């Protein structure tokens, strides 16, 4: 078995035996701040874009505020 | 007698205590809080957003107790700085007993509360469904100490918890059709992203919200775990700052995502019960009349309808009972009842729960005491068990004596229907079964029943193929 094959086998075995949930020392939630920063950045861009889009749409066609819609508990 | 509730130990800033009411009907709920929580609550009470949430019954009604109150005095002696009193909820239920629509509604309530809080300079530090309870079909937020002032630059601290407990199970059900309830029953702290990522393969990774809220967090967590394992010191990420605009935008985006998630109600054996039952009209009216007479006479404070299907009889009971716990193992039937009650209920007193009756929620969590079993939470004074016995005996293979013992343990009046061997539904159940359950007969059932209960009334239905009994405990 050449090195490349050995490596492929190792990766496959590791992916099978690697525990998906482990009681490790690093708090799994410590990555949350990274995730929320990335997602928050894109969400803020989308939010701003949507705000202006709906403002324009409301001016042209009328209808309810997008903010009211997103705050309601049900559709 | 004052008892600290065994599931309330995670947040060191407070502890919940239950006090039996003098008439033994229900309990009063108190909470000992530390000085910081006490001061926070005093400020929170004056906040317009909080007052509005309380007026709309979105948060549990809460007051501060005078130190002279005898119960408060005892709690203060335990070392707390102040004592709150909460209005008790009718029945504590857990997210692993909620249908998709209930979990979704609880998620939307949490997001609404968080948005209002953030806009007013506050935040909600926890994001677990155990902080939300249902009064009928209306979710109510019960963990008042979760409200804390928002610190400049603070991210959405409970984002991961929200995803694990609400968003991920909702996406798994909506995008993949996976039954989220057994997963939530096992993962009491929610489904971790690394685990959830294993379920999303191929094109399902491109479904709305999966890449952002499951695959990305799973990847980040795996990388951190790989980089900081063994003796490598963990990086300090607590100093990272996020603008409030980002936090609000993320909450808004997640709200949109949750609203976009839905499931179709499938045609199961139970979800169309109103149209597919095997009674003719007169017989069905006779059965309804028997139940109606029972609830009208009994006027229960808490009636449990086990095996409720889409709640035909729960709705009759709800006219005369203070609370109806409508339980069934069929998710879609329960979801249908919840959706119906959300829009048509006159009293909002039916709590629909998904419960496999041959395996109801057990005591579990830390030391087996953190989340209590369904039996120990429910305290009914009347039970309906309609056309269920054959499923318990034949489908779940539970001896009738054991099932009747379980019913007897509630020590209350029971209306129970026996479906005999010649009924077409039992014939269908026994078809292709090797074991023929020869002990399953009306004589044997009545013998077992009368060993535990006194039969007050009975009525034959479907020409004697079924019999309905009103019993009281011996």
């Amino acid at each position: 078995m050449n090195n490349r094959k050995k490596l492929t086998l190792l990766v496959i075995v590791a992916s099978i035996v690697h525990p998906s949930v482990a009681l490790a020392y690093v708090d799994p939630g410590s990555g949350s701040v990274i995730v929320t920063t990335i997602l928050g950045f894109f969400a803020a861009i989308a939010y701003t874009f949507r705000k202006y889009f709906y403002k324009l749409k409301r001016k042209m066609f009328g209808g309810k505020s997008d903010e009211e819609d997103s705050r309601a508990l049900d559709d | 007698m004052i008892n600290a509730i065994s599931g309330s130990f995670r947040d060191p800033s407070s502890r919940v205590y239950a006090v039996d009411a003098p008439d033994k009907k229900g309990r009063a709920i108190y909470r000992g809080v530390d000085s910081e929580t006490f001061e926070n609550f005093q400020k929170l009470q004056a906040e317009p957003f909080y007052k509005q949430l309380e007026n709309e019954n979105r948060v549990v009604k809460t007051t501060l107790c005078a130190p002279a109150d005898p119960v408060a005095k005892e709690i203060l002696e335990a070392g707390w700085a102040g004592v709150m009193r909460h209005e008790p909820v009718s029945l504590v239920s857990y997210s692993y007993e909620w249908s998709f629509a209930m979990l979704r509604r609880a998620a939307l309530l949490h997001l609404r509360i968080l948005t209002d809080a953030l806009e007013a300079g506050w935040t909600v530090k926890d994001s677990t469904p155990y902080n939300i309870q249902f009064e009928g079909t209306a979710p109510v937020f019960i963990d008042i100490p979760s409200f804390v002032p928002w610190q400049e630059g603070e991210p959405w601290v409970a984002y991961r918890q929200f995803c694990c407990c609400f968003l991920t199970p909702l996406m798994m059900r909506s995008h993949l059709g996976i039954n989220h309830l057994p997963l939530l029953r096992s993962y009491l702290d929610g489904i971790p992203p690394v685990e959830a990522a294993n379920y999303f393969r191929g094109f399902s990774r491109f479904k709305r919200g999966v890449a952002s809220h499951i695959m990305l967090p799973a990847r980040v967590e795996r990388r951190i775990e790989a980089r900081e394992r063994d003796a490598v010191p963990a990086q300090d990420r607590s100093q990272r700052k996020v603008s409030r605009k980002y936090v609000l935008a993320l909450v808004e985006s997640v709200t949109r995502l949750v609203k976009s998630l839905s499931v179709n109600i499938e045609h199961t054996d139970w979800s169309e019960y109103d149209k597919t039952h095997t009674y003719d009209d007169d017989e069905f009216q006779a059965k309804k009349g028997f139940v109606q007479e029972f609830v009208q006479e009994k006027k229960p404070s808490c009636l449990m309808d086990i095996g409720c299907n889409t709640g035909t009889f729960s709705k009759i009971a709800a006219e005369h009972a203070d609370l109806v716990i409508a339980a069934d193992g069929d998710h879609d039937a329960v979801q249908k009842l919840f959706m119906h009650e959300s829009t048509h209920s006159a009293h909002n007193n039916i709590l629909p729960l998904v419960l496999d009756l041959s395996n109801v929620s057990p005591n579990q969590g830390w030391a087996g005491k953190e989340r209590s079993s369904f039996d120990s939470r429910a305290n009914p004074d009347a039970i309906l068990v309609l056309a269920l016995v054959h499923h318990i005996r034949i489908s779940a293979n539970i001896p009738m004596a054991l099932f009747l013992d379980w019913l007897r343990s509630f020590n209350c009046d029971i209306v129970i229907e026996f479906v005999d061997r010649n009924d077409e539904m039992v014939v269908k159940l026994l078809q292709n079964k090797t074991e023929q359950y020869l002990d399953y007969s009306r004589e044997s059932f009545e013998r077992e029943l009368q060993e535990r209960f006194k039969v007050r009334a009975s009525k034959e239905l479907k020409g004697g193929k079924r019999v309905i009994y009103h019993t009281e405990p011996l």
Side-chain angles (χ1 to χ4, degrees):
Chain A
M1 197 184 283
N2 62 29
N3 282 347
R4 203 171 165 166
K5 277 186 181 166
K6 273 184 189 166
L7 186 67
T8 311
L9 188 66
L10 190 68
V11 169
I12 292 168
V13 170
S15 67
I16 293 167
V17 300
H18 181 71
S20 53
V21 183
L23 286 173
Y25 283 97
V26 180
D27 175 20
S30 73
S32 238
V33 67
I34 301 172
V35 176
T36 51
T37 310
I38 298 169
L39 296 179
F41 173 73
F42 287 109
I45 294 173
Y47 178 80
T48 312
F49 173 76
R50 225 176 12 245
K51 198 171 143 186
Y52 287 110
F53 174 75
Y54 280 107
K55 213 178 241 179
L56 188 70
K57 194 178 154 195
R58 235 180 10 260
K59 265 188 187 167
M60 290 171 74
F61 306 108
K64 66 176 175 178
S65 141
D66 177 53
E67 198 182 335
E68 270 171 39
D69 183 43
S70 86
R71 187 160 294 195
L73 275 186
D74 300 298
D75 302 295
Chain B
M1 190 182 163
I2 300 177
N3 295 308
I5 287 181
S6 55
S8 132
F9 61 87
R10 299 239 177 194
D11 183 352
S13 69
S14 73
R15 188 91 204 247
V16 178
Y17 296 85
V19 182
D20 291 331
D23 58 359
K24 299 278 173 199
K25 279 189 174 180
R27 297 187 299 175
I29 303 296
Y30 291 81
R31 187 191 288 269
V33 295
D34 66 10
S35 54
E36 197 183 336
T37 309
F38 184 70
E39 283 161 26
N40 277 345
F41 184 64
Q42 283 176 318
K43 290 180 203 154
L44 186 69
Q45 278 181 308
E47 289 284 350
F49 89 90
Y50 180 78
K51 282 181 188 167
Q52 194 181 340
L53 288 172
E54 203 177 49
N55 291 338
E56 292 172 356
N57 294 322
R58 310 274 192 212
V59 296
V60 69
K61 294 237 175 342
T62 302
T63 49
L64 280 174
C65 292
D69 178 302
V71 177
K73 216 169 168 181
E74 207 172 317
I75 295 171
L76 289 171
E77 278 167 12
W80 296 106
V83 179
M84 294 173 178
R85 185 171 178 172
H86 301 299
E87 205 166 83
V89 292
S90 308
L91 179 87
V92 171
S93 60
Y94 300 135
S95 56
Y96 45 87
E97 296 163 344
W98 299 346
S99 62
F100 174 88
M102 290 175 84
L103 185 64
R104 181 176 174 275
R105 189 162 295 174
L108 289 174
L109 174 70
H110 182 84
L111 293 166
R112 151 83 197 275
I113 288 174
L114 181 60
T115 307
D116 288 0
L118 282 165
E119 285 174 349
W122 288 74
T123 188
V124 181
K125 67 180 177 182
D126 297 313
S127 186
T128 150
Y130 302 109
N131 289 347
I132 293 177
Q133 289 301 321
F134 277 86
E135 284 295 355
T137 56
V140 183
F141 186 82
I142 58 163
D143 190 36
I144 304 303
S146 275
F147 286 99
V148 288
W150 183 75
Q151 306 296 327
E152 189 62 42
E154 193 179 40
W156 176 3
V157 282
Y159 164 78
R160 184 180 188 275
Q161 196 179 27
F162 181 86
C163 289
C164 294
C165 295
F166 290 103
L167 190 56
T168 300
L170 287 173
M171 285 201 283
M172 288 173 82
R173 182 117 208 175
S174 177
H175 292 334
L176 303 176
I178 287 173
N179 182 1
H180 62 290
L181 298 176
L183 290 170
L184 286 180
R185 183 151 145 182
S186 296
Y187 291 106
L188 291 182
D189 293 329
I191 307 161
V194 172
E195 181 61 26
N198 292 327
Y199 290 84
F200 288 90
R201 297 281 176 205
F203 286 117
S204 65
R205 292 180 174 188
F206 296 101
K207 296 214 173 189
R208 188 169 174 182
V210 176
S212 321
H213 302 289
I214 292 177
M215 304 317 291
L216 174 69
R219 195 176 167 82
V220 169
E221 282 183 18
R222 279 201 194 102
R223 283 184 75 116
I224 289 175
E225 196 193 325
R227 281 184 184 178
E228 296 175 6
R229 68 162 58 107
D230 302 331
V232 180
Q235 223 182 76
D236 179 13
R237 298 181 183 87
S238 60
Q239 302 308 315
R240 285 175 185 249
K241 303 282 180 205
V242 181
S243 107
R244 187 158 58 168
K245 197 180 165 191
Y246 283 15
V247 180
L248 272 166
L250 180 57
V251 175
E252 196 257 1
S253 145
V254 171
T255 305
R256 285 177 174 280
L257 172 59
V258 172
K259 283 185 176 179
S260 75
L261 299 172
S262 63
V263 291
N264 294 325
I265 292 177
E266 302 290 333
H267 181 146
T268 64
D269 274 350
W270 320 115
S271 65
E272 302 295 327
Y273 178 78
D274 269 344
K275 296 173 205 152
T276 59
H277 64 74
T278 57
Y279 298 92
D280 66 30
D281 286 350
D282 289 345
E283 295 288 350
F284 202 50
Q285 286 310 321
K287 183 173 168 179
K288 281 181 173 176
F290 193 92
V291 172
Q292 171 99 28
E293 208 172 292
F294 166 69
V295 286
Q296 221 162 357
E297 180 201 319
K298 178 81 185 163
K299 292 195 172 28
S301 57
C302 175
L303 178 140
M304 198 157 81
D305 180 5
I306 55 173
C308 67
N309 301 329
T310 48
T312 308
F313 297 94
S314 305
K315 289 170 199 165
I316 294 171
E319 292 296 320
H320 304 281
D322 296 334
L323 170 72
V324 175
I325 305 166
D328 201 287
D330 186 294
H331 173 275
D332 286 6
V334 174
Q335 166 116 330
K336 201 168 178 179
L337 174 59
F338 178 79
M339 300 306 283
H340 177 274
E341 287 301 296
S342 298
T343 46
H344 296 92
S345 171
H347 310 290
N348 190 33
N349 61 344
I350 298 181
L351 175 64
L353 297 176
V354 186
L355 281 175
D356 174 357
L357 296 162
S358 62
N359 180 18
V360 295
S361 317
N363 286 320
Q364 54 176 350
W366 170 247
K369 289 179 180 167
E370 196 177 353
R371 303 291 160 218
S372 44
S373 69
F374 174 73
D375 324 40
S376 61
R377 277 174 283 136
N379 189 18
D381 53 358
I383 304 180
L384 299 182
V385 193
L386 303 175
L388 179 70
V389 178
H390 55 311
H391 293 292
I392 294 290
R393 177 66 196 104
I394 299 168
S395 309
N397 203 7
I398 292 167
M400 277 190 295
L402 292 186
F403 181 56
L404 291 170
D405 278 344
W406 182 71
L407 290 174
R408 180 65 183 80
S409 70
F410 290 100
N411 200 27
C412 64
D413 283 20
I414 288 170
V415 168
I416 188 164
E417 184 183 9
F418 180 74
V419 184
D420 215 342
R421 297 182 74 87
N422 55 351
D423 185 277
E424 54 271 39
M425 300 318 284
V426 176
V427 171
K428 191 176 174 184
L429 265 183
L430 288 170
Q431 192 77 43
N432 301 319
K433 276 199 184 288
T434 322
E435 163 69 58
Q436 286 299 299
Y437 305 91
L438 296 176
D439 62 322
Y440 186 81
S441 67
R442 182 169 164 182
E443 294 71 35
S444 150
F445 173 76
E446 285 185 347
R447 193 178 56 248
E448 296 284 0
L449 186 70
Q450 284 165 2
E451 279 177 20
R452 295 159 182 86
F453 298 92
K454 180 182 168 195
V455 177
R456 283 194 52 192
S458 65
K459 187 176 181 58
E460 288 192 350
L461 301 166
K462 288 177 76 176
K465 288 180 186 172
R466 296 183 177 206
V467 193
I468 188 166
Y469 307 85
H470 169 191
T471 68
E472 59 186 23
L474 280 177

